[in-house]
Amino acid sequence: DAGVTQSPTHLIKTRGQQVTLRCSPKSGHDTVSWYQQALGQGPQFIFQYYEEEERQRGNFPDRFSGHQFPNYSSELNVNALLLGDSALYLCASSRRRGTGNTEAFFGQGTRLTVV
Amino acid sequence: EDQVTQSPEALRLQEGESSSLNCSYTVSGLRGLFWYRQDPGKGPEFLFTLYSAGEEKEKERLKATLTKKESFLHITAPKPEDSATYLCAVFNKFYFGSGTKLNVKP
């Protein structure tokens, strides 16, 4: 059973460019959450997708957007990249239960470097 | 405002020296708390979920406990391979603490 997979693993972009990161959730999971993790910090919640809609959002600007597909996979898009967007981007999948979620399982992350 | 605070930020132990990591939270209507382990450059690895005060869970040398205001991760007789950053997160909105970086020396 494949766990959460993310692609690409590493990415270098130039300031002002746009980037798309991809995530395939663990089998049986229907909810995908995205996080940004700066070096030495805990993951910061960006947003969560369920049933192809953004359900919750953290304190991130509109430059960060996402999408969820019918097969539950998800994309994170970041426009007008800033140097400060350099971080490890983590995708976590979980299964919706009531008004919350089961425990989340994480992918290995995409290391984004903006130069 | 919902908050999750972990302490200490860093902890250095000798192999076999037991200790505890703390995660305190201020979240209204907590519906559960997660513990994760994270190795450098990798995604967090799920360890435990705790749902109610008084609950305890164990896995090898790790034991997690939960009260109404905080959770503890107890590490008994740690080994060098237990070195990692340990993160806690609340169930409601996946707020993470900043983690405790554990270094176990042989």
Side-chain angles (χ1 to χ4, degrees), chain B residues 80-98:
Chain B
E81 53 262 42
D82 294 322
S83 297
T85 295
Y86 291 85
L87 298 162
C88 70
V90 296
F91 184 94
N92 305 38
K93 292 186 178 181
F94 288 111
Y95 287 146
F96 276 84
S98 295

mmCIF file of all heavy atoms in Angstrom, chain B residues 80-98:
data_model
loop_
_atom_site.group_PDB
_atom_site.id
_atom_site.type_symbol
_atom_site.label_atom_id
_atom_site.label_comp_id
_atom_site.label_asym_id
_atom_site.label_seq_id
_atom_site.Cartn_x
_atom_site.Cartn_y
_atom_site.Cartn_z
ATOM 1 N N PRO B 80 20.337 6.070 20.611
ATOM 2 C CA PRO B 80 20.702 7.096 19.612
ATOM 3 C C PRO B 80 19.723 7.178 18.445
ATOM 4 O O PRO B 80 19.490 8.271 17.908
ATOM 5 C CB PRO B 80 22.095 6.639 19.153
ATOM 6 C CG PRO B 80 22.667 5.949 20.347
ATOM 7 C CD PRO B 80 21.492 5.233 20.982
ATOM 8 N N GLU B 81 19.127 6.064 18.059
ATOM 9 C CA GLU B 81 18.182 6.087 16.937
ATOM 10 C C GLU B 81 16.866 6.805 17.275
ATOM 11 O O GLU B 81 16.041 7.036 16.385
ATOM 12 C CB GLU B 81 17.876 4.668 16.438
ATOM 13 C CG GLU B 81 17.427 3.696 17.494
ATOM 14 C CD GLU B 81 18.561 2.816 17.998
ATOM 15 O OE1 GLU B 81 19.687 3.345 18.211
ATOM 16 O OE2 GLU B 81 18.313 1.597 18.180
ATOM 17 N N ASP B 82 16.675 7.157 18.523
ATOM 18 C CA ASP B 82 15.505 7.950 18.906
ATOM 19 C C ASP B 82 15.727 9.442 18.641
ATOM 20 O O ASP B 82 14.808 10.254 18.794
ATOM 21 C CB ASP B 82 15.171 7.760 20.387
ATOM 22 C CG ASP B 82 14.728 6.341 20.694
ATOM 23 O OD1 ASP B 82 14.010 5.747 19.855
ATOM 24 O OD2 ASP B 82 15.105 5.817 21.760
ATOM 25 N N SER B 83 16.939 9.795 18.252
ATOM 26 C CA SER B 83 17.242 11.202 17.949
ATOM 27 C C SER B 83 16.404 11.666 16.769
ATOM 28 O O SER B 83 16.418 11.047 15.696
ATOM 29 C CB SER B 83 18.734 11.369 17.641
ATOM 30 O OG SER B 83 19.531 11.039 18.751
ATOM 31 N N ALA B 84 15.673 12.737 16.964
ATOM 32 C CA ALA B 84 14.767 13.282 15.944
ATOM 33 C C ALA B 84 14.094 14.500 16.540
ATOM 34 O O ALA B 84 14.302 14.829 17.715
ATOM 35 C CB ALA B 84 13.714 12.254 15.540
ATOM 36 N N THR B 85 13.279 15.162 15.743
ATOM 37 C CA THR B 85 12.420 16.222 16.274
ATOM 38 C C THR B 85 11.038 15.634 16.503
ATOM 39 O O THR B 85 10.494 14.964 15.630
ATOM 40 C CB THR B 85 12.336 17.408 15.295
ATOM 41 O OG1 THR B 85 13.630 18.010 15.175
ATOM 42 C CG2 THR B 85 11.354 18.455 15.801
ATOM 43 N N TYR B 86 10.489 15.871 17.679
ATOM 44 C CA TYR B 86 9.175 15.360 18.026
ATOM 45 C C TYR B 86 8.173 16.518 18.018
ATOM 46 O O TYR B 86 8.377 17.541 18.673
ATOM 47 C CB TYR B 86 9.216 14.665 19.394
ATOM 48 C CG TYR B 86 10.007 13.372 19.316
ATOM 49 C CD1 TYR B 86 11.391 13.380 19.447
ATOM 50 C CD2 TYR B 86 9.372 12.153 19.064
ATOM 51 C CE1 TYR B 86 12.131 12.206 19.332
ATOM 52 C CE2 TYR B 86 10.099 10.975 18.952
ATOM 53 C CZ TYR B 86 11.482 11.018 19.085
ATOM 54 O OH TYR B 86 12.207 9.855 18.964
ATOM 55 N N LEU B 87 7.111 16.323 17.251
ATOM 56 C CA LEU B 87 6.109 17.360 17.045
ATOM 57 C C LEU B 87 4.773 16.910 17.621
ATOM 58 O O LEU B 87 4.401 15.741 17.512
ATOM 59 C CB LEU B 87 5.908 17.623 15.547
ATOM 60 C CG LEU B 87 7.109 18.144 14.761
ATOM 61 C CD1 LEU B 87 6.888 17.924 13.269
ATOM 62 C CD2 LEU B 87 7.304 19.628 15.041
ATOM 63 N N CYS B 88 4.042 17.851 18.205
ATOM 64 C CA CYS B 88 2.668 17.552 18.575
ATOM 65 C C CYS B 88 1.741 18.474 17.774
ATOM 66 O O CYS B 88 2.144 19.560 17.342
ATOM 67 C CB CYS B 88 2.426 17.692 20.064
ATOM 68 S SG CYS B 88 2.476 19.378 20.701
ATOM 69 N N ALA B 89 0.525 18.021 17.567
ATOM 70 C CA ALA B 89 -0.447 18.786 16.787
ATOM 71 C C ALA B 89 -1.841 18.514 17.341
ATOM 72 O O ALA B 89 -2.121 17.410 17.809
ATOM 73 C CB ALA B 89 -0.383 18.402 15.315
ATOM 74 N N VAL B 90 -2.696 19.533 17.298
ATOM 75 C CA VAL B 90 -4.061 19.330 17.769
ATOM 76 C C VAL B 90 -4.936 18.865 16.619
ATOM 77 O O VAL B 90 -4.732 19.231 15.466
ATOM 78 C CB VAL B 90 -4.641 20.607 18.412
ATOM 79 C CG1 VAL B 90 -3.844 20.962 19.645
ATOM 80 C CG2 VAL B 90 -4.696 21.753 17.448
ATOM 81 N N PHE B 91 -5.905 18.075 16.946
ATOM 82 C CA PHE B 91 -6.774 17.403 15.988
ATOM 83 C C PHE B 91 -7.649 18.375 15.214
ATOM 84 O O PHE B 91 -7.893 18.211 14.033
ATOM 85 C CB PHE B 91 -7.638 16.439 16.795
ATOM 86 C CG PHE B 91 -8.551 15.554 16.012
ATOM 87 C CD1 PHE B 91 -8.170 14.292 15.642
ATOM 88 C CD2 PHE B 91 -9.836 15.978 15.699
ATOM 89 C CE1 PHE B 91 -9.024 13.457 14.957
ATOM 90 C CE2 PHE B 91 -10.701 15.142 15.004
ATOM 91 C CZ PHE B 91 -10.298 13.879 14.649
ATOM 92 N N ASN B 92 -8.108 19.435 15.903
ATOM 93 C CA ASN B 92 -9.126 20.307 15.334
ATOM 94 C C ASN B 92 -8.710 20.925 13.999
ATOM 95 O O ASN B 92 -9.446 20.899 13.020
ATOM 96 C CB ASN B 92 -9.469 21.437 16.298
ATOM 97 C CG ASN B 92 -9.881 20.921 17.660
ATOM 98 O OD1 ASN B 92 -9.335 19.960 18.155
ATOM 99 N ND2 ASN B 92 -10.843 21.589 18.274
ATOM 100 N N LYS B 93 -7.532 21.552 13.995
ATOM 101 C CA LYS B 93 -7.109 22.276 12.796
ATOM 102 C C LYS B 93 -5.661 21.975 12.422
ATOM 103 O O LYS B 93 -5.058 22.712 11.679
ATOM 104 C CB LYS B 93 -7.269 23.788 13.017
ATOM 105 C CG LYS B 93 -8.709 24.231 13.132
ATOM 106 C CD LYS B 93 -8.807 25.741 13.209
ATOM 107 C CE LYS B 93 -10.249 26.183 13.267
ATOM 108 N NZ LYS B 93 -10.352 27.653 13.321
ATOM 109 N N PHE B 94 -5.138 20.903 12.943
ATOM 110 C CA PHE B 94 -3.762 20.538 12.637
ATOM 111 C C PHE B 94 -2.777 21.674 12.922
ATOM 112 O O PHE B 94 -1.907 21.970 12.124
ATOM 113 C CB PHE B 94 -3.626 20.074 11.183
ATOM 114 C CG PHE B 94 -4.242 18.721 10.968
ATOM 115 C CD1 PHE B 94 -5.385 18.579 10.214
ATOM 116 C CD2 PHE B 94 -3.695 17.596 11.553
ATOM 117 C CE1 PHE B 94 -5.966 17.343 10.033
ATOM 118 C CE2 PHE B 94 -4.263 16.345 11.377
ATOM 119 C CZ PHE B 94 -5.399 16.223 10.612
ATOM 120 N N TYR B 95 -2.949 22.324 14.061
ATOM 121 C CA TYR B 95 -1.942 23.277 14.518
ATOM 122 C C TYR B 95 -0.793 22.475 15.114
ATOM 123 O O TYR B 95 -0.997 21.657 16.001
ATOM 124 C CB TYR B 95 -2.503 24.202 15.590
ATOM 125 C CG TYR B 95 -3.455 25.245 15.088
ATOM 126 C CD1 TYR B 95 -4.528 25.653 15.867
ATOM 127 C CD2 TYR B 95 -3.294 25.837 13.853
ATOM 128 C CE1 TYR B 95 -5.407 26.609 15.429
ATOM 129 C CE2 TYR B 95 -4.170 26.793 13.407
ATOM 130 C CZ TYR B 95 -5.225 27.183 14.196
ATOM 131 O OH TYR B 95 -6.096 28.139 13.768
ATOM 132 N N PHE B 96 0.426 22.771 14.659
ATOM 133 C CA PHE B 96 1.609 22.092 15.160
ATOM 134 C C PHE B 96 2.382 22.990 16.115
ATOM 135 O O PHE B 96 2.417 24.217 15.946
ATOM 136 C CB PHE B 96 2.542 21.729 14.005
ATOM 137 C CG PHE B 96 2.182 20.444 13.321
ATOM 138 C CD1 PHE B 96 1.226 20.433 12.322
ATOM 139 C CD2 PHE B 96 2.817 19.262 13.658
ATOM 140 C CE1 PHE B 96 0.904 19.246 11.677
ATOM 141 C CE2 PHE B 96 2.506 18.076 13.014
ATOM 142 C CZ PHE B 96 1.546 18.069 12.027
ATOM 143 N N GLY B 97 3.012 22.361 17.085
ATOM 144 C CA GLY B 97 4.013 23.066 17.863
ATOM 145 C C GLY B 97 5.305 23.153 17.053
ATOM 146 O O GLY B 97 5.401 22.595 15.955
ATOM 147 N N SER B 98 6.286 23.851 17.594
ATOM 148 C CA SER B 98 7.559 24.013 16.885
ATOM 149 C C SER B 98 8.480 22.817 17.061
ATOM 150 O O SER B 98 9.522 22.738 16.405
ATOM 151 C CB SER B 98 8.286 25.277 17.372
ATOM 152 O OG SER B 98 7.532 26.423 17.038
#
